[in-house]
Amino acid sequence: MKNKKRNRDGFFKDTLFEFIFEVVWNILMFIPRMIIRLIGNIW
């Protein structure tokens, strides 16, 4: 029983970590594009 619960917790932690990583990665990829467009619009 304990082993099953631990595996489930590990799965949720992995899923949560992947989700957070994906969100952070998308933000990091989005910001430089936004800055480049902003600079392009200003000049």
Side-chain angles (χ1 to χ4, degrees):
M1 191 76 178
K2 279 186 179 179
N3 196 12
K4 209 174 197 181
K5 187 173 191 286
R6 192 177 296 149
N7 284 343
R8 198 171 62 211
D9 288 348
F11 173 75
F12 281 125
K13 280 181 185 172
D14 287 348
T15 306
L16 187 67
F17 177 75
E18 265 186 50
F19 177 74
I20 290 171
F21 179 76
E22 195 79 25
V23 169
V24 170
W25 183 258
N26 285 336
I27 290 170
L28 287 176
M29 291 294 109
F30 177 70
I31 288 172
R33 273 188 266 152
M34 212 170 69
I35 292 171
I36 290 168
R37 283 184 190 155
L38 186 68
I39 291 171
N41 286 339
I42 290 173
W43 291 104

